[in-house]
Structures are given as C-alpha cells and as structure tokens.
Amino acid sequence: MVTTGIIGAMQEEVAEIIAGMRQQAGYTCRRIGMRDYHAGAFDGQSCVVVLARIGKVAAAVTAVTLIREFGVDEIVFTGLAGGLAAGGNVGDVVIAGSLVQHDLDARPFFPRHEVPLLGVSEFVTDATLCTELESAAMAFLAIDFRRSITLEIAAGFGIGEPLLHCGLVLSGDRFIGDAGEAAELLARFPTALAVEMEGAAVAQVCHEHALPCAILRTISDRADANAHVDFGQFLSSVASTYSDGILRQFFRARHAAAGSRVALRTAVDASGIA
Ligand code: ADE
C-alpha cells in the first residue's frame, strides 16, 4: 500500500487530520528533530502526518525525514497562501503545477532563482497526484464547503463561490504583507497565482529523491497591507476545514478506487480469465 507523507506548516492545518488518525488502530507517534511524526491510517489509507512549522528550511528537513525515516512514497503539503493573481480570492484553492523560490539569488554566479549546482529554477509537481487533488478539491468546494462553513463565516471573509486554480506558486522566507511587494513579485512572475513560504523547498527535496509531490494551498489573504490580519483570522476559523475536507475527499477516492480494483480482480478470478 502507498504511504503518503502529509506536511502542514501550522498546527491548525493538520490538527483535525491527526485527531482522526489517533482514533484508528495502529496509530504511532515518533519525535524526531523536535517534530512529532504521526503514523497510521486516515480514511483507510496509510499516512504519516507532521507539522513542519514555517519556512523553507523547516519544510525541507521535514520532507527529508519523511522520506528517509518513514519511507513515504509521496508527499502532499497542505497550507495557506497569499493570493497574487487578479482572480485569486480569499477562500480559493490553489494546487501548484510548479514552484519557484522567489528569494533565491546567487547572481552573478548563477541565474536568479536557479538552485546553485542543481540547475533547476522551477520545480514541477507530480501530474497524477495533482489531478487527484484537483478532483478532491472540486468535490470539497462543491459539497462539503457549504456544509462545513456557515454563510456568515464565508461572508465575513468575502467568500462567495470559491474557485480552484492550478499553476505557478512562489515560495520564499518572507511573509508578503505589502501590495507593492506583491506587485513586484507579479512583475517578475506574471503567471504566479500565489505566494507562500515552504512549497518550493518540499518540491526541491522531492525532485532530488525522485518522489511524487503535490502542494495544496488555500488563499487566506491578498499579500497586501491587511494580509497579517486576514491570515490570522482565516487560520483560526477556516483553514483546517479546507485541509481536512480536501484530504478526506482525496483519501476517500483512493479507498474507493482500491475497492474497485479488488472487486474487478475477484470478478476476473471467478470468471477464470487469466
Ligand atoms: N501564507 C499565507 N499568506 C502569505 C503571505 N501573504 N505571504 C507568504 N506566505 C503566506
């Protein structure tokens, strides 16, 4: 069975998932490098869930530990992001098709944004994993979102019909809370959807270990002067509903697909067809 590593940047983003895992048989928790790695089952699927804390170094060491200590087969990062593209509003979901470290600059020795001696600037995520997450996010937004987030809370954040976006995401060790800085990032990366602080680091580690990865983000703010207020409020009242809801849909679909394969195998065996 595939074991999925799930990384969150903040406690709120993985708390509900870990609470669900604790109820299941076989749950274990190992503390390595000041982080708790929760191993067990989530909706019938094997996974290891960990709070990475914030920033690229924290995300990278967590990803390496998941790979080397727990032998995960794939990594999904779940968290919040600041919206950059005009159409990306608070409450929308972003799945990164590729990621760049916007603060990486080793000029004049290497081109701006290129990881020195690796020769890569833009890390591409796993297409199959992203497609699965896209379906899960669509199902969450179409069904669970209205059930789990009241109209009052949605209205408070200005969320109407939240959308799903897929494309370029920027990562850097800076919280962007200034419209001018956000505009400068967009001028440098005109197709960028959102900015966050970990995704490209996880994508780099997965690239170096040839491991599939996906980065799932919910837009909590517009990376402008109000970003720190919007971010804090979104984190405390809505963030975990998105993470938990989308990952639940993701694992449920996997569970159903595994069940269909078993049923098909049984039918083929019973029919005597080789
Ligand atoms: N994560 C959520 N909002 C962010 C922002 N504005 N900048 C960087 N990371 C973020």
Side-chain angles (χ1 to χ4, degrees):
M1 189 197 280
V2 169
T3 296
T4 307
I6 297 176
I7 309 179
M10 308 285 284
Q11 182 63 35
E12 290 82 344
E13 292 161 349
V14 286
E16 287 191 29
I17 299 166
I18 294 169
M21 288 173 71
R22 281 184 200 277
Q23 312 298 320
Q24 306 295 314
Y27 164 82
T28 59
C29 179
R30 257 173 84 193
R31 191 160 177 81
I32 302 171
M34 299 172 80
R35 288 180 182 80
D36 290 330
Y37 292 79
H38 305 266
F42 185 63
D43 261 344
Q45 305 297 296
S46 169
C47 55
V48 184
V49 183
V50 54
L51 167 66
R53 301 196 294 274
I54 298 170
K56 291 188 292 175
V57 172
V61 296
T62 307
V64 171
T65 305
L66 280 173
I67 295 167
R68 298 195 59 91
E69 293 285 330
F70 294 89
V72 300
D73 302 292
E74 60 189 12
I75 292 182
V76 174
F77 189 104
T78 177
L80 302 178
L84 291 177
N89 296 310
V90 171
D92 287 0
V93 175
V94 174
I95 293 170
S98 62
L99 300 105
V100 173
Q101 297 182 44
H102 67 79
D103 58 348
L104 182 55
D105 190 353
R107 291 177 296 176
F109 306 107
F110 299 92
R112 193 174 186 185
H113 310 127
E114 182 174 304
V115 178
L117 306 179
L118 188 63
V120 181
S121 304
E122 190 169 341
F123 293 94
V124 177
T125 51
D126 184 72
T128 308
L129 201 45
C130 287
T131 303
E132 286 182 81
L133 275 176
E134 281 167 39
S135 304
M138 296 287 274
F140 169 78
L141 293 175
I143 305 162
D144 308 329
F145 173 78
R146 286 284 165 228
R147 287 192 197 142
S148 43
I149 295 175
T150 65
L151 281 175
E152 289 87 336
I153 290 182
F157 288 102
I159 305 173
E161 295 291 330
L163 300 174
L164 170 65
H165 310 270
C166 305
L168 177 64
V169 169
L170 308 180
S171 308
D173 286 312
R174 295 176 58 74
F175 184 83
I176 308 296
D178 176 80
E181 212 172 327
E184 190 280 321
L185 284 176
L186 255 190
R188 219 173 341 133
F189 301 98
T191 60
L193 296 172
V195 61
E196 38 85 315
M197 300 177 69
E198 298 85 15
V202 173
Q204 179 179 334
V205 168
C206 288
H207 170 87
E208 292 173 358
H209 289 81
L211 203 83
C213 91
I215 311 293
L216 167 69
R217 294 283 178 177
T218 307
I219 296 182
S220 56
D221 57 82
R222 288 286 310 165
D224 56 14
N226 214 41
H228 60 290
V229 178
D230 296 341
F231 173 83
Q233 288 175 350
F234 197 91
L235 184 65
S236 57
S237 52
V238 192
S240 65
T241 308
Y242 272 79
S243 286
D244 186 67
I246 295 172
L247 289 173
R248 240 173 238 286
Q249 287 283 359
F250 170 77
F251 284 122
R252 206 172 292 155
R254 281 234 171 136
H255 195 70
S260 308
R261 277 197 300 277
V262 170
L264 184 63
R265 188 71 254 164
T266 310
V268 168
D269 288 350
S271 73
I273 302 167

